[in-house]
């Protein structure tokens, strides 16, 4: 069997996005429900780009949970790793859209089903088939999910998967900033590929800078690739042998939700087909241009999953630049 499956681990939830931008949650006249959760977004991004994707996580045994599992299947994602909790609800997040398309979050998770995933509920068959195993940091916040996360990483690593990490910082979910920093970095050294945003870089290093000397404090000898995304300004990349940067693409931004997930999904979709891109700067730059284009397109529509692009849409944007 071809070893090209990308398995995403973590949370899937429903974002309630206001019908108008630039107002507080209290002032919003109404909300649109948008399926989300970074690892699930990445899985759907991969599938929409023609890749093979699976999702591992826990949902509430409720209408929203069943709806989300249906959305995975409808988008071509293997949901064999999804379990349901009869005692806890699917997580919800209310998202404030600022006028510039950036977001603020208010979460309903006390506790939500995703936090209650146990080691025993992991579908090891799905995880051992992964060519790439991708995860975030939200699943590290509380037990039993934290132990399930660490076990899943270990199983994937032993099965020969590349480990891909996007910390996807959501400070309101952590007990404190210190706890967030400590836990995010607790699994840092184990990844092969890490993607951080400029905001996450500043948070983790304590320095308001994206200069190479600051980024390289987060570099580890075992890494194959470290990418720092800079929003509309593009990205910077670092490997053992080379480093560089790429400009982003100017688009009319409506909502930045899911842009980073689209970037990661596009990058992993290409890497899983040809891992030599990690040693070949020319190839890597082409992959990251494609990822930048996918991230940019995602910001032109509200919500993450509806806005995730197909490969032809990304190629079209690349042709125009």
């Amino acid at each position: 069997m071809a070893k090209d499956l990308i398995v995403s681990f973590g949370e899937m939830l429903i974002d309630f996005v206001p019908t108008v931008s630039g107002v507080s949650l209290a002032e919003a006249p109404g909300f649109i429900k948008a399926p989300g959760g970074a690892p699930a977004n990445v899985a759907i991004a991969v599938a929409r780009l023609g890749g093979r994707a699976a999702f591992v996580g826990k949902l509430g045994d409720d209408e929203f949970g069943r709806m989300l599992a249906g959305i995975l299947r409808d988008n071509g994602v293997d949901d064999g790793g999804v379990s349901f909790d009869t005692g806890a609800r699917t997580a919800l997040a209310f998202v404030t859209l600022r006028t510039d398309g950036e977001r603020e979050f208010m979460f309903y998770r006390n506790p939500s089903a995703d936090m209650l995933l146990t080691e025993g509920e992991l579908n090891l068959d799905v995880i051992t088939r992964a060519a790439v195993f991708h995860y975030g940091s939200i699943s590290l916040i509380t037990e039993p999910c934290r132990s399930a996360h660490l076990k899943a990483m270990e199983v994937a690593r032993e099965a020969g998967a590349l480990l891909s990490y996007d910390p996807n910082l959501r400070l309101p979910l952590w007990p404190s900033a210190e706890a967030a920093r400590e836990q995010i970095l607790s699994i840092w050294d184990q990844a092969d590929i890490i993607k951080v945003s400029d905001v996450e870089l500043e948070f983790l290093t304590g320095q308001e800078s994206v200069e190479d000397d600051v980024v390289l404090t987060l570099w580890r000898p075992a890494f194959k690739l470290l990418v720092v995304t800079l929003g509309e300004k593009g990205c910077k990349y670092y490997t053992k042998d080379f480093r560089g940067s790429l400009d982003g693409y100017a688009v009319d931004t409506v909502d930045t939700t899911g842009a980073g997930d689209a970037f990661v999904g596009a990058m992993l979709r290409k890497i899983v087909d040809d891992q030599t891109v990690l040693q070949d700067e020319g190839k890597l730059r082409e992959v990251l241009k494609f990822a930048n284009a996918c991230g940019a397109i995602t910001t032109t529509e509200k919500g993450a999953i509806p806005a995730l692009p197909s490969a032809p849409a990304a190629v079209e944007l690349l042709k125009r630049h």
Side-chain angles (χ1 to χ4, degrees):
M1 198 171 78
K3 192 86 166 160
D4 61 355
L5 182 67
I6 295 167
V7 177
S8 259
F9 174 90
E11 71 284 355
M12 186 175 194
L13 61 150
I14 295 186
D15 290 332
F16 283 88
V17 184
T19 49
V20 290
S21 300
V23 297
S24 69
L25 289 178
E27 292 163 345
F31 297 90
I32 296 163
K33 63 178 197 292
N41 293 344
V42 169
I44 292 174
V46 168
R48 198 161 291 172
L49 292 168
R52 289 176 66 240
F55 177 75
V56 175
K58 198 174 199 186
L59 300 168
D61 190 7
D62 51 38
E63 281 208 32
F64 284 152
R66 296 287 169 187
M67 180 190 103
L68 291 175
I71 286 167
L72 289 170
R73 289 192 299 274
D74 292 348
N75 281 279
V77 175
D78 178 343
D79 69 339
V82 173
S83 54
F84 293 90
D85 195 293
T86 52
R89 295 290 190 206
T90 301
L92 309 178
F94 285 83
V95 186
T96 318
L97 282 186
R98 300 203 313 242
T99 41
D100 61 359
E102 286 296 335
R103 305 146 302 160
E104 287 156 4
F105 294 89
M106 182 167 80
F107 292 94
Y108 283 72
R109 301 169 85 234
N110 53 336
S112 55
D114 59 286
M115 300 158 74
L116 302 176
L117 181 70
T118 65
E119 285 185 49
E121 290 168 318
L122 290 171
N123 185 329
L124 300 181
D125 177 54
V126 171
I127 295 167
T128 52
R129 281 190 284 125
V132 176
F133 185 71
H134 175 74
Y135 47 88
S137 71
I138 288 171
S139 37
L140 297 173
I141 298 173
T142 48
E143 291 292 357
C145 188
R146 183 173 191 276
S147 292
H149 179 141
L150 298 177
K151 175 70 174 175
M153 279 174 62
E154 184 190 321
V155 169
R157 164 70 78 207
E158 283 173 4
L162 281 175
L163 298 190
S164 163
Y165 185 22
D166 175 358
N168 203 48
L169 177 68
R170 295 284 179 268
L171 259 183
L173 293 178
W174 291 90
S176 67
E178 293 68 41
R181 195 174 289 114
E182 183 185 326
Q183 288 300 326
I184 286 170
L185 293 173
S186 71
I187 58 168
W188 198 256
D189 300 11
Q190 296 173 55
D192 297 298
I193 297 166
I194 290 187
K195 172 255 162 191
V196 284
S197 70
D198 44 2
V199 174
E200 289 158 351
L201 176 72
E202 288 172 18
F203 173 77
L204 292 170
T205 61
Q207 299 185 62
E208 284 191 33
S209 163
V210 292
E211 294 306 313
D212 288 354
D213 57 335
V214 173
V215 178
L216 290 170
T217 62
L218 293 177
W219 175 261
R220 301 291 182 271
F223 285 0
K224 292 184 166 62
L225 175 64
L226 173 63
V227 177
V228 180
T229 54
L230 309 170
E232 71 281 1
K233 296 191 189 79
C235 66
K236 302 178 80 168
Y237 58 87
Y238 303 80
T239 72
K240 278 195 280 289
D241 303 316
F242 48 79
R243 64 178 85 148
S245 63
L246 283 160
D247 290 335
Y249 298 98
V251 291
D252 294 326
T253 294
V254 174
D255 174 9
T256 58
T257 310
D261 305 326
F263 180 97
V264 172
M267 176 176 76
L268 297 179
R269 165 78 187 93
K270 294 291 191 186
I271 289 171
V272 82
D273 273 353
D274 180 10
Q275 291 192 21
T276 66
V277 303
L278 297 168
Q279 290 92 43
D280 180 325
E281 187 170 12
K283 282 185 184 176
L284 181 65
R285 287 180 70 85
E286 289 308 307
V287 166
L288 295 177
K289 277 182 198 168
F290 180 73
N292 272 342
C294 288
I297 292 167
T298 306
T299 69
T300 61
E301 256 186 80
K302 271 190 187 162
I305 290 168
L308 294 169
S310 63
V315 170
E316 190 56 42
L317 179 63
L318 291 170
K319 272 189 199 150
R320 293 205 305 270
H321 287 77

